[in-house]
Each structure stands twice: as structure tokens, then as C-alpha cells.
Amino acid sequence: MLNTPLEEFNLRKYRPSEKGIFRLIPAVRNSRKVRLSGVTFDTWISETISSALRMPNSVLTELHLMNSTFTGDAEIFTDGLINSQCKLEAFSLSGNPQGQCENLAPAVKSVLSDLRELELSGGLLGYLIRSVLSVGLSNPKLEKLRLNRNPQTAEICKELVTAFTSTTCYLRELDLSYTNFTDSEMGILSTGLMNTNCTLEVLSLSHNKLTEKGCKTLASALSSKPSQLRELDLSYNDVQDSGTMIFCDVLMNPHCGLKTLRLSFCKVTGDGCASLASVLRSDQCSLKELDLSFNHLTNEGVKLLTEIQKDSQCSLETLNVDHNEECWFDLKLLRQYACDLTLDPNTAGLNIILAEENTKAIYVSEKQAYPDHPDRFDTFQVLCEEGLTGRHYWETECVSADVGVAYKSIDRKGDCSVDFSLGSNEKSWCWSKYGSFNHNNSFIEFIKCATYRCTMGVYLDWPAGILSFFRVFPDALAHLYTVRTTFTEPLHPGFRLPDGSIHICKIK
């Protein structure tokens, strides 16, 4: 008798050790939906997924392989895709290639015909992504497309424009977050958005580099014809008040049907807030959700928007004005929360020496004769003595080092390094020198964000569950990434330096 198929197998729900993965992965063969994140595609895992794809009468309809590392053994997996017996309706592929992965592109093309949802993030396909998109976007079933963290942004936009002007494309949702998307790319994409064949309803361009100029281009596209776009996310862009006011005009245009607008972390101040308030009072505005979190709206602005939302004539149903502080407009103001930190010698790995009153850590090739201690890491990392709650900010000069935080209860040694390395488990969060955010053995990799030699800033708002990473320049802070979660223990700043050094700065 056949086992009843599982509706969904999600590796993250089990949080297994590396050894435990080998016992859980066979469930892939008997699941309708499979989600794997943060795994390395070695021979065993590649063969497991490949066999699930090639099974006659396979029940598999959704396969999501996220933030994974693809080695030369991925050829086994690509062979499974090419010879797949299942009809995938949703497919996600993102991660980091290690070794030769040329066969990924033709393998992905082989499963595109029935997809309604596709994600190709992280630059895995390189310059071949455009040829894959050309095939995928000609599939009239495809409704959702995510292309985060791909470096070929301009080429991708050109392919999207071709699709938007076609009568065979019915794409409803598009996500181009974390792509270094600029005003130039907006100029390309807007050509497609203005076409009467474009059916796009949801567009996310968060964590990019749009300015007022790009906002004006997008606004023109949304106002040129009756637009089907209902949801727009421009969070973490340099929109500022000038860009916000441009969208205020769009919201009053009869061609605009926007219901949701997200402008989180966009440096909006009281002036932009006042313009939005004026629009929300109008009968011509049909906006139902507005996100203005992590801006500097002033208390007066927050009060004004909140009172307008309460008006029965206002269409707005959801308003987010959390974290309304000046420091999110002028990041240098985060230094008012500066704290003094001291490295804990009892946590330092044997290849790390401390100096300058335990504010500097250096990797050395010779193991040190440190006394045994239960807090000492069995790897090249060190924590600070201070366990932080409340609001805190610190800066560190880094040379080939990872920067993060961890609970004191993090393991110090284990069967494999994921148990105790910063960012590789659920008890630590880390910004990697390679330009990625790591947590619980998953990563989000950013384009051109390597931080091998620089000064890093970290801001912690423990009660609010906010952890932000910045690159520090002489006159400015550049935001890299913000985590929003719930912390359950005090957090100790920590550093991982397999071949470098760190020096905790004294902030005046």
C-alpha cells in the first residue's frame, strides 16, 4: 500500500543537524510541495531530489530550493530536471554556484512549460538567465516571477519589456528586489509597463537604488494609461520626500489603481507625510495599505495620518508608521546609542589572539595555549563579554572578518561547524565579508557588497527585534541589511575571522 503523500515537506520546520538531514530528505519522494533551504547539493541530496523528479506518477508539484550551494554534483540534480516525470507548477532556485553548473540553464528550461510561479535568484544562471526568461515568459501560465539578487539587471529588464509587449505573457507579480536596480533600469522597464498588453498587478523593487528620477519615470508609466498595478513596494530606496510627492500625484490620477504602497526606509520626512495626508483626504485616492515605517515623519505627521485613517471617508485600512525616528533619515544619529564593548578571552578560538585591552582580535596560524574553558569556541571566532538588550550601536574596523551577534547559549563545539559558527544556526545572526547576511544556515547574498576591508556598523534595538548592518564611511553610513525578528536572550556581539582581524572602535 502506498503511503499517503505529504502535502508539504519543509526542511526548516525540522531544524535538523547536518547528520539529521540524511534521515529527513527521503520525505522529498513522497511530498507534493518541497522546500529546502541552506543545503549543499552533494551527491546524496542531488540524487534524492533527482529520483523524486524522475519517479513515474510523481506527486511533486512545487519544488523550492533556496539559498543553497551547488557543486559539481549538481549535474545529478540537473539530469533529474531534464528527465522529470512530474508537472511542476512552482519552482524556485537560488544560491551559490561552486564549480561548473553550465547544465542548470537547459535543465530549468525543461520544466518551464507548466509553471505558474518561478524564482531564479542569486545569479546562479549568470548571463544565461535571459535565454531562460525568454522561454519562461512565453508560457501563458506563468503568473509570478521573482528575480532577486541577479546581476544582469538591464538585460533582464529588456527581456521583461519584450514579454510585456507580447500577447502571450500574463505575468501578474514581479519581484526585482536586491538587484542594484537603478533609475537607468527603471527607464527600460517602464517601456513595458506602459504597454497596453502589460497585465502586471504586483511590483516589488525593494532594496535597490532608485531615486527621484526613477520615481518620476515609474510615475509616468503608471499615469499614461489605465494601469492594472495594484501593489507597489519601493522600500529601501532613496525615494525621499521628492519621490514621495511624485507618487502623491500618481495616486490622484484616474488611471492609477494602486491599493498598496510600501515606502519603508525611504527617508520620508514630515513634508512627504503632509503630501500623503492631503492625498488620503481626497475621494480620488483608493489606497488601502500604506507602509511608512523606518522613516522620519515626526510625531505631528504620524498623528495626522492616524487621524485621517480613522475618518470613515478615508479608504486606508492599514497604516504602518512604526520606528518613526530621525536616525532613519540621518543614519549618523545612530551613534547616540554607542556602547563600549570588550572581547571575552574565554570565548576566543585557539587561533585568535586579543590585544589593546581586549578590543582587538587577530587570527594567527599557531594555536595558542589557552586554558580549557566551557565558553571557548572550537573555531576562529570570539564573542564580547557584554550581553545586550535595549538599544545599542557599535563600529568595528574589519579585515577579512564576519560581524554578528549571538546568544550566550550558542554551542561552542559540535559534530559540525553549523552548530556553533556565527550565522549558521538559529542562535546567531551574521554579516559575512563576502557580502551576505547569514542566519540559521541560510544566506541572502547581495550584489557588489563584499566588505573584506572596511568599518562595519551594527545597530541593535532588542525590544523591537531590529538588527541592522551598515558600512561606515568618513561622512556617512550605508545601510546593508535590517533583520526584523523576536529576540529571546541578550545578544553578544561576535566576530568570525578565519584569516583576518577586527578592532572595536571607540565612538566619540
Side-chain angles (χ1 to χ4, degrees):
M1 181 177 178
L2 294 174
N3 293 330
T4 303
L6 295 173
E7 186 61 31
E8 180 175 326
F9 173 75
N10 188 342
L11 187 63
R12 280 287 155 224
K13 291 182 179 179
Y14 299 94
R15 303 187 185 279
S17 65
E18 194 165 287
K19 291 181 178 179
I21 289 177
F22 295 103
R23 294 191 295 271
L24 292 172
I25 287 293
V28 169
R29 298 187 180 98
N30 194 42
S31 300
R32 302 184 194 281
K33 302 176 184 179
V34 172
R35 299 180 189 276
L36 303 181
S37 179
V39 299
T40 298
F41 272 66
D42 55 19
T43 302
W44 200 88
I45 291 179
S46 295
E47 179 56 47
T48 300
I49 298 174
S50 179
S51 65
L53 291 165
R54 289 176 294 156
M55 280 180 59
N57 303 315
S58 172
V59 298
L60 189 64
T61 59
E62 293 192 16
L63 180 59
H64 303 280
L65 308 173
M66 308 303 298
N67 302 322
S68 299
T69 299
F70 291 83
T71 66
D73 293 322
E75 289 187 9
I76 301 173
F77 160 65
T78 57
D79 180 68
L81 278 179
I82 292 171
N83 295 288
S84 175
Q85 298 297 307
C86 61
K87 290 188 176 181
L88 289 179
E89 298 176 4
F91 179 58
S92 302
L93 188 66
S94 74
N96 179 35
Q98 289 185 359
Q100 302 298 316
C101 298
E102 294 95 341
N103 292 334
L104 270 178
V108 172
K109 288 181 183 179
S110 69
V111 297
L112 294 176
S113 60
D114 292 303
L115 293 183
R116 53 178 174 75
E117 180 178 339
L118 172 64
E119 173 163 7
L120 298 172
S121 296
L124 267 174
L125 299 181
Y127 69 92
L128 295 174
I129 190 169
R130 188 171 180 180
S131 67
V132 174
L133 289 178
S134 178
V135 176
L137 288 168
S138 64
N139 167 21
K141 297 179 183 178
L142 189 65
E143 296 182 347
K144 298 180 181 180
L145 179 62
R146 291 186 297 277
L147 300 170
N148 302 337
R149 306 187 305 281
N150 276 290
Q152 309 289 327
T153 314
E155 296 304 310
I156 287 172
C157 287
K158 291 174 183 176
E159 200 60 51
L160 288 166
V161 169
T162 300
F164 289 155
T165 57
S166 167
T167 56
T168 61
C169 177
Y170 294 94
L171 198 66
R172 299 287 190 272
E173 299 183 19
L174 174 63
D175 192 340
L176 290 170
S177 302
Y178 305 100
T179 58
N180 279 342
F181 190 98
T182 66
D183 298 339
S184 176
E185 281 79 28
M186 190 69 256
I188 300 171
L189 187 64
S190 63
T191 305
L193 296 176
M194 287 189 287
N195 193 280
T196 54
N197 289 330
C198 181
T199 58
L200 203 64
E201 298 175 0
V202 179
L203 176 61
S204 178
L205 297 170
S206 71
H207 294 81
N208 281 310
K209 296 182 177 181
L210 284 175
T211 69
E212 176 188 355
K213 181 181 178 181
C215 292
K216 189 176 295 185
T217 304
L218 177 56
S220 177
L222 298 182
S223 305
S224 63
K225 67 173 182 66
S227 172
Q228 296 191 40
L229 198 68
R230 298 294 179 263
E231 184 175 323
L232 177 61
D233 189 352
L234 295 177
S235 299
Y236 294 84
N237 278 281
D238 196 22
V239 175
Q240 302 196 37
D241 287 338
S242 56
T244 302
M245 292 175 185
I246 289 170
F247 282 106
C248 287
D249 292 337
V250 174
L251 292 170
M252 298 289 285
N253 191 296
H255 286 165
C256 175
L258 276 181
K259 303 297 181 184
T260 298
L261 178 60
R262 298 190 176 95
L263 297 173
S264 179
F265 222 125
C266 283
K267 295 185 179 180
V268 183
T269 71
D271 290 342
C273 181
S275 296
L276 283 167
S278 177
V279 169
L280 291 171
R281 288 195 185 99
S282 171
D283 293 338
Q284 293 175 275
C285 177
S286 58
L287 203 65
K288 293 187 178 298
E289 181 178 344
L290 177 60
D291 185 355
L292 290 169
S293 57
F294 291 92
N295 285 296
H296 178 43
L297 309 178
T298 73
N299 292 335
E300 293 78 10
V302 170
K303 182 179 179 182
L304 178 62
L305 289 176
T306 304
E307 289 178 351
I308 291 174
Q309 186 196 13
K310 293 177 182 177
D311 190 327
S312 59
Q313 301 300 313
C314 178
S315 63
L316 199 63
E317 298 173 356
T318 304
L319 173 66
N320 187 351
V321 289
D322 294 345
H323 310 293
N324 163 52
E325 299 179 68
E326 190 176 1
C327 60
W328 297 117
F329 176 76
D330 183 359
L331 297 176
K332 294 192 297 296
L333 295 176
L334 291 171
R335 288 173 173 154
Q336 66 186 297
Y337 302 110
C339 60
D340 293 325
L341 298 176
T342 306
L343 298 169
D344 184 353
N346 292 326
T347 67
L350 297 180
N351 290 88
I352 293 176
I353 58 174
L354 305 185
E356 298 188 22
E357 299 181 336
N358 292 344
T359 62
K360 187 172 185 178
I362 307 167
Y363 168 83
V364 292
S365 57
E366 306 83 10
K367 289 191 175 182
Q368 305 301 296
Y370 292 144
D372 289 338
H373 196 282
D375 289 344
R376 193 170 309 287
F377 281 107
D378 191 21
T379 189
F380 319 115
Q381 63 191 34
V382 59
L383 296 184
C384 289
E385 293 180 355
E386 294 80 8
L388 305 179
T389 56
R391 292 184 174 190
H392 301 277
Y393 176 80
W394 61 96
E395 293 179 356
T396 310
E397 295 175 359
C398 300
V399 178
S400 194
D402 303 335
V403 177
V405 295
Y407 296 147
K408 190 173 184 177
S409 60
I410 187 175
D411 290 341
R412 309 305 165 116
K413 56 185 66 179
D415 293 335
C416 52
S417 63
V418 298
D419 296 335
F420 51 86
S421 294
L422 280 179
S424 296
N425 46 71
E426 59 183 353
K427 294 187 176 183
S428 62
W429 295 257
C430 174
W431 178 267
S432 161
K433 62 185 179 183
Y434 299 111
S436 65
F437 168 73
N438 303 321
H439 173 61
N440 205 14
N441 206 31
S442 288
F443 63 91
I444 299 175
E445 190 170 17
F446 297 82
I447 301 171
K448 298 179 182 178
C449 274
T451 51
Y452 293 107
R453 183 182 292 269
C454 69
T455 299
M456 291 288 297
V458 182
Y459 171 68
L460 170 67
D461 185 343
W462 194 94
I466 294 169
L467 178 67
S468 297
F469 296 91
F470 305 88
R471 182 164 184 173
V472 181
F473 295 95
D475 299 318
L477 271 67
H479 176 261
L480 297 173
Y481 190 70
T482 289
V483 185
R484 302 190 212 184
T485 185
T486 300
F487 300 119
T488 58
E489 301 176 33
L491 287 166
H492 293 254
F495 309 93
R496 187 173 184 273
L497 44 155
D499 56 359
S501 65
I502 62 99
H503 187 194
I504 300 171
C505 302
K506 184 73 173 178
I507 301 175
K508 298 179 181 179

